[in-house]
Amino acid sequence: MTRAAKIPSPEATGLPPISASGRRWKLIEADPRRVQALLPVTGGIDLLARLMAARGIEPADAAGFLAPTLREYFPDPSSFADMDKAAGIVLDAILDGRKVVVFADYDVDGGTSSAILARYFRAWGRDLGLYVPDRLEEGYGPSPAAFRYLKSNGAELVITVDCGAAAVQALDEANAIGLPIVVIDHHLMSGPAPNAAALVNPNRPDCNSGQGHLAAAGVVYVFVAAMNRLARERGIAPPAGLPDILPLLDLCALGTLCDMAPLTGVNRAFVRQGLSMMSRDQNPGLRALADVSGIGRVESVYHATFILGPRLNAGGRVGDPWLAAKLLATDDRAEAIDLAERLHALNDERKALETAILDAATAQAERALESNPDRGVLIAAGEGWHPGVIGIVAGRLKDRFHLPSIVIGWGDGLGPVAKGSGRSVRGVNLGAAISEAARQGIILSGGGHAMAGGLSMDPGQLEGFDAWMLDHMSAFAAERDAALQLDIDALLAPGAATPVLVARIATLGPFGVGAPEPVFLLQDVSITGLRRIGVNHLRFVAEDASGRIDCVAWRAEDQPIGQVLRQGGRFSLVGRLKCDTWNGRERVQLEIADVAALQVN
């Protein structure tokens, strides 16, 4: 079931009256004056100037946008609260030979952050211990028990990465047992800072760095730069000289991309230069994972985010949470291959779990919408639904139904407390809603940020939580409606989609959160050769008098897009251009975002 949405009349916009996904299509209009001002920096290419103007790029910022450099965007480490203090604590520990352990979150951002530190320590001739909590047994972040365990095993300093900023109880326990903690995090904070030896977080209320968009890997990269600067000021270095941190940009970029950090400011430079570093195959772990996943070499945002990312996350979701951090830190080729193969296998297991839960959750969502088409939120729940994949499933539901979605699982060896994960649409703050439900006692605990949230609850609270969320979300009807809008950058004829055009568009990259990839509209085309590929993807050719273009619609076979395409006729297509190399020949294809069947009079 797909919710219908009215679209402005064809006479007014030239756009079709209804789309398969029920989204409103809107053709973005760029400011003509800004377009003209941007033409010189784009070499006179009108399309690039229009795309930049539509993204709000000012002419004065255009050169930096097109060629972002660390020299221009790298922040002053001292602008971060506690950065200099943390660098001093850790550098002293390295010089004194103390036992230091990094406590990392189990996702890609945590794994890349810990690996940056491990490689930095190795350049000083020091080992860095590792601890990654188990998602099922320990949950997110440090606990008092974990810090007691580390203390009992000889740790003299712990650095938490991608976690710790809200771990008040755990840090109180660390202070009580005499274990100093340096926190390096990026998550939003509320209330007083916990009692740490140093707490580096661009999102702590008293930090004036202006770098709140950084992922943890980005904060850690700034931290090792601060360490080098401090060592240089002290006139000290390991025998081979100060660590070269430029090669660590591959890990910084990977964490930034996989944590969906906005690609603005220094993040653009991290990713642009980090992807270049990845393509050099200098990290044995990344090289091994690229090999087992079949891509051979990491050369794009897609490779990093959608090929490597899910495999690195698989250990934390359904297996051994230490695998990703170990893989990214190792220099041993044989160990890297073994770890990569294990993560690849766990990712297959994760996909099987995800498919089963997604099918059940989708059925629940469809029944809920049939019963109440005006629902402002979807909540699906089931016994035995693995907490390692419910967040992914929530994202799939959100993408399909364009509604905030929460997926909850409990029991079957997972414990009596239900765990939930949610994903939201633009303009609806799901994390705030979950936090309020927890404050009112509707659930046990929960919170998050605007686009995502997590919760814990007793399964018996499910019905009351569903009713409370329906009532709470009824106030956001306008925001949900606005989120249905699909922005289109330009009209495109199939024959104009050439490798040269795709290469020109790529100069505006990297694309991601905060830097959307251009979306094009192909109007009034016929399709031929419609066929299924893989499990549920569709491939076909679109053509008109100008020429033809290959198209692919991912996961569309049993979705409204697939159902509309199967009816035949003429269509308008919306999608993003990609360039492939097959048998030595470059070809362009359109990755479908939405379709509309055209009415024939």
Side-chain angles (χ1 to χ4, degrees):
M1 176 178 179
T2 300
R3 300 181 305 137
K6 291 183 179 178
I7 294 178
S9 69
E11 292 79 14
T13 65
L15 300 180
I18 193 71
S19 80
S21 70
R23 303 185 71 181
R24 291 188 305 276
W25 296 359
K26 180 181 179 181
L27 191 61
I28 300 172
E29 296 183 7
D31 181 349
R33 290 172 298 180
R34 182 178 288 176
V35 172
Q36 287 299 314
L38 287 167
L39 277 173
V41 79
T42 65
I45 301 173
D46 182 75
L47 175 61
L48 296 188
R50 291 184 179 280
L51 292 174
M52 291 175 69
R55 282 152 179 74
I57 307 301
E58 297 289 347
D61 301 324
F65 177 84
L66 290 171
T69 63
L70 291 178
R71 180 180 297 276
E72 179 177 1
Y73 288 106
F74 199 80
D76 177 5
S78 296
S79 67
F80 291 72
D82 271 6
M83 179 69 82
D84 293 337
K85 183 180 180 182
I89 292 171
V90 176
L91 185 58
D92 286 344
I94 288 175
L95 297 174
D96 295 342
R98 278 180 272 161
K99 182 175 181 179
V100 184
V101 176
V102 60
F103 187 109
D105 188 23
Y106 36 63
D107 67 0
V108 178
D109 197 20
T112 51
S113 297
S114 69
I116 289 171
L117 288 178
R119 291 182 172 279
Y120 187 83
F121 269 63
R122 194 175 301 145
W124 279 91
R126 303 295 187 192
D127 290 327
L128 178 67
L130 174 67
Y131 189 96
V132 185
D134 184 274
R135 183 190 293 262
L136 294 181
E137 299 295 329
E138 300 174 79
Y140 167 79
S143 64
F147 283 157
R148 287 194 297 269
Y149 170 82
L150 292 173
K151 176 69 172 180
S152 68
N153 281 270
E156 297 172 276
L157 173 66
V158 173
I159 308 170
T160 71
V161 292
D162 198 27
C163 60
V168 175
Q169 286 185 317
L171 287 165
D172 284 346
E173 178 67 13
N175 277 287
I177 62 177
L179 179 62
I181 310 293
V182 169
V183 174
I184 305 179
D185 203 349
H186 71 124
H187 291 99
L188 295 175
M189 296 177 62
S190 59
N195 189 10
L199 194 157
V200 181
N201 182 345
N203 285 305
R204 61 182 281 181
D206 61 340
C207 183
N208 298 314
S209 66
Q211 301 297 319
H213 60 301
L214 295 184
V219 182
V220 170
Y221 191 84
V222 176
F223 175 70
V224 296
M227 295 269 287
N228 267 3
R229 186 178 67 176
L230 179 59
R232 193 177 296 111
E233 290 171 354
R234 292 187 183 180
I236 55 176
L242 285 176
D244 181 4
I245 65 173
L246 280 178
L248 301 179
L249 279 170
D250 56 1
L251 297 172
C252 178
L254 184 60
T256 298
L257 288 169
C258 291
D259 216 56
M260 302 298 174
L263 298 187
T264 57
V266 71
N267 280 346
R268 283 184 62 78
F270 281 156
V271 171
R272 176 73 73 89
Q273 297 184 43
L275 285 172
S276 175
M277 199 64 66
M278 275 189 235
S279 69
R280 301 179 191 180
D281 284 342
Q282 293 181 337
N283 185 299
L286 292 179
R287 184 165 69 248
L289 196 59
D291 287 342
V292 301
S293 61
I295 59 174
R297 177 175 293 178
V298 185
E299 295 180 319
S300 66
V301 169
Y302 175 81
H303 285 162
T305 308
F306 297 104
I307 302 297
L308 300 189
R311 288 163 175 79
L312 290 166
N313 271 326
R317 293 189 184 281
V318 298
D320 182 346
W322 299 54
L323 294 179
K326 288 180 176 178
L327 175 70
L328 297 173
T330 187
D331 284 325
D332 184 290
R333 174 66 173 166
E335 181 186 28
I337 292 171
D338 175 65
L339 292 169
E341 289 176 343
R342 291 167 65 186
L343 283 168
H344 186 68
L346 285 171
N347 190 53
D348 288 340
E349 181 181 335
R350 186 272 306 168
K351 287 191 285 188
L353 282 171
E354 177 191 329
T355 298
I357 296 172
L358 178 60
D359 289 345
T362 300
Q364 287 188 27
E366 289 177 335
R367 289 194 297 269
L369 286 170
E370 287 170 1
S371 174
N372 179 7
D374 296 323
R375 284 185 69 102
V377 62
L378 294 174
I379 299 176
E383 185 173 1
W385 288 7
H386 198 290
V389 299
I390 56 176
I392 301 175
V393 174
R396 299 271 192 242
L397 293 183
K398 181 265 297 182
D399 290 341
R400 175 164 180 173
F401 297 103
H402 310 294
L403 283 170
S405 301
I406 300 172
V407 179
I408 301 167
W410 70 88
D412 193 21
L414 304 176
V417 175
K419 301 289 186 180
S421 186
R423 300 292 183 268
S424 195
V425 297
R426 184 177 63 238
V428 181
N429 192 325
L430 184 61
I434 293 174
S435 294
E436 182 61 19
R439 191 188 68 80
Q440 295 186 24
I442 306 298
I443 56 177
L444 298 178
S445 64
H449 53 79
M451 299 301 290
L455 60 88
S456 296
M457 65 188 299
D458 186 289
Q461 296 176 306
L462 180 60
E463 185 175 346
F465 178 59
D466 184 73
W468 187 91
M469 286 294 290
L470 280 179
D471 180 66
H472 183 83
M473 287 295 181
S474 65
F476 297 95
E479 290 83 356
R480 292 195 305 274
D481 188 63
L484 286 171
Q485 180 172 298
L486 177 57
D487 291 335
I488 296 169
D489 288 285
L491 303 178
L492 182 71
T498 65
V500 172
L501 176 65
V502 176
R504 286 176 173 172
I505 293 170
T507 63
L508 304 184
F511 301 115
V513 176
E517 191 169 0
V519 175
F520 295 96
L521 169 64
L522 278 64
Q523 290 186 303
D524 194 10
V525 298
S526 63
I527 68 170
T528 57
L530 180 64
R531 65 192 188 280
R532 186 177 72 182
I533 57 173
V535 176
N536 59 354
H537 313 305
L538 293 175
R539 186 176 290 282
F540 57 94
V541 174
E543 59 183 312
D544 66 8
S546 73
R548 50 195 289 152
I549 183 174
D550 293 331
C551 303
V552 61
W554 303 115
R555 301 187 185 91
E557 170 68 15
D558 58 349
Q559 302 290 315
I561 286 177
Q563 295 162 8
V564 169
L565 289 171
R566 291 284 185 196
Q567 295 172 4
R570 298 189 70 81
F571 301 90
S572 286
L573 309 175
V574 173
R576 300 169 180 86
L577 294 176
K578 304 290 182 180
C579 208
D580 245 357
T581 300
W582 182 255
N583 288 334
R585 182 176 67 90
E586 277 193 314
R587 63 176 184 179
V588 176
Q589 70 177 15
L590 184 75
E591 291 192 349
I592 299 296
D594 204 356
V595 305
L598 301 182
Q599 295 178 352
V600 180
N601 295 324

